Amino acid sequence: MSETTGVPAPTIKYYIREGLVAPGQPTGRNQAKYTEEHVRRLKLVRALVEYGGLSLAAIRDLIAQVDNPDLQAFDLLGAAQRTVTQQKDPRPGPYKDSAERRLHDLLTKRGWRIKTGDPAYHTAVGVLAALDEIGRQDMLDALDDYAEAAERIAEIDVSLVGDVSDRERAVEIVVIGTSVGDTLIAMLRRLAQATVGERLYT
């Protein structure tokens, strides 16, 4: 399995001990037989570690959900997304309260799901509160435009997931696509800013 995946044997043994990859079927004192399922799971774990930047505890939780047949595909994808979403809680106060109302109104207007327990929801409230506190009303006024662009990106993201019956592949796409995709979108935005800025100001 090490030769097939490129993962060193000690790392494979460590993942097995940690419960991230199931043990193989023993065929001798120090030997075991591994299947294609073992290889796929190992590749998923390696991708989550190397590209998703996840802790082993987060991967263990996520793997448990992948293996839970009672968890519907949509909920599994949501769980995968939450593993790569940092939560930064906003400071209490009037700016937070105003930001929460503003975000709630935006989500309602656009018909988006309102999940106040979502890490992205908390972080978005904090960002809006910070913008309000420093007086960037212009950015707050552009919130709907930002949301429209985000929705278009989300449509592309979800179309890439494809067949959710392959649960491991779907989770890999969500985790890696979101973490790496965030960086890609940020860099494309900066390249576009340079071009648009030059067009406007030179």
Side-chain angles (χ1 to χ4, degrees), residues 32-106:
K33 180 180 180 180
Y34 295 95
T35 66
E36 183 60 31
E37 285 185 20
H38 287 95
V39 172
R40 288 193 68 205
R41 175 58 56 88
L42 180 58
K43 288 180 177 180
L44 173 63
V45 170
R46 181 178 62 176
L48 296 176
V49 169
E50 293 180 1
Y51 300 104
L54 302 181
S55 69
L56 292 185
I59 294 172
R60 191 179 301 108
D61 290 344
L62 189 55
I63 291 295
Q65 295 182 71
V66 170
D67 291 338
N68 179 0
D70 296 329
L71 192 65
Q72 297 297 316
F74 178 78
D75 294 323
L76 174 62
L77 298 180
Q81 187 193 50
R82 284 190 297 278
T83 62
V84 291
T85 304
Q86 290 186 346
Q87 178 171 323
K88 297 183 180 179
D89 293 318
R91 293 189 313 273
Y95 291 112
K96 173 186 177 287
D97 297 340
S98 175
E100 197 149 16
R101 285 192 300 272
R102 187 186 300 270
L103 181 59
H104 188 278
D105 291 347
L106 174 74

Side-chain angles (χ1 to χ4, degrees), residues 44 62 66 76-77 80 167-176:
L44 173 63
L62 189 55
V66 170
L76 174 62
L77 298 180
R167 294 165 69 91
E168 295 200 20
R169 177 189 165 279
V171 165
E172 181 178 330
I173 289 173
V174 169
V175 172
I176 295 171

Side-chain angles (χ1 to χ4, degrees), residues 114-154:
I114 299 172
K115 298 188 74 174
T116 58
D118 192 305
Y121 183 92
H122 288 273
T123 304
V125 168
V127 170
L128 295 178
L131 290 173
D132 194 8
E133 189 171 4
I134 63 175
R136 291 310 307 260
Q137 187 62 43
D138 52 348
M139 291 184 73
L140 295 174
D141 291 343
L143 186 59
D144 198 52
D145 294 327
Y146 283 121
E148 186 173 340
E151 185 167 341
R152 178 65 188 117
I153 291 169

